[in-house]
Amino acid sequence: MLAESCIFCKIIRGEIPSQKVFENDEVLAFLDINPLSTGHTVVIPKRHAERLADLDEDWNAALGRVIGRLSKLVVSVVAAEGHNVLQNDGAVAGQVVPHVHYHIVPRWASDGLGYRWNAKSANADELTQLAQRIRAAL
């Protein structure tokens, strides 16, 4: 099911043009119109879902199969030194378009994009308790 006003659903329906690089029954991938780097590709499910939790395992698996294969190809085509695969889930995480999507962003040492990962030390007991809670929720 597609949403009437969603920009990505409009791309799926062909109402908004895109530079498609991959398409099957479940997934569409196209070049980002505001790329962070050459080859920046957006990968979306061909079903409207705002958050990852809104997709069932089959849809998430379909995305995963395409992302792995397409990442390798995009990196090769643009001769990138590496790449990021990004998925922002929810506005607080930086999601702008409320439709599940992944970004494949080719990277070069000189691209100036940078990367921020503000890691901090974790308490071993807290990690143990949290891991137990997550396992129990499965």
Side-chain angles (χ1 to χ4, degrees):
M1 182 181 301
L2 298 176
E4 193 62 34
S5 63
C6 171
I7 190 167
F8 286 169
C9 291
K10 289 179 180 183
I11 290 171
I12 293 166
R13 288 192 299 268
E15 296 169 9
I16 296 175
S18 67
Q19 292 298 322
K20 296 177 185 178
V21 297
F22 176 88
E23 184 173 17
N24 66 16
D25 291 341
E26 300 156 318
V27 176
L28 174 64
F30 52 90
L31 295 178
D32 196 300
I33 62 169
N34 295 303
L36 294 173
S37 65
T38 300
H40 180 166
T41 302
V42 178
V43 183
I44 62 174
K46 291 173 76 175
R47 171 191 179 138
H48 184 77
E50 189 169 324
R51 307 280 295 265
L52 279 176
D54 299 332
L55 288 175
D56 66 27
E57 289 182 14
D58 291 337
W59 281 95
N60 278 307
L63 284 166
R65 284 189 297 273
V66 171
I67 291 164
R69 193 168 108 210
L70 198 53
S71 292
K72 181 178 179 180
L73 292 173
V74 170
V75 166
S76 175
V77 167
V78 300
E81 297 170 14
H83 71 287
N84 292 109
V85 175
L86 307 169
Q87 197 281 327
N88 303 324
D89 202 48
V92 70
Q95 183 178 11
V96 176
V97 178
H99 184 119
V100 170
H101 60 286
Y102 288 82
H103 296 269
I104 299 170
V105 183
R107 298 295 307 270
W108 293 265
S110 62
D111 63 24
L113 289 177
Y115 190 76
R116 182 181 55 138
W117 192 281
N118 297 325
K120 58 185 178 195
S121 296
N123 175 287
D125 291 335
E126 289 175 2
L127 288 177
T128 298
Q129 291 172 11
L130 180 56
Q132 288 172 346
R133 288 175 41 212
I134 293 170
R135 286 191 303 268
L138 291 173

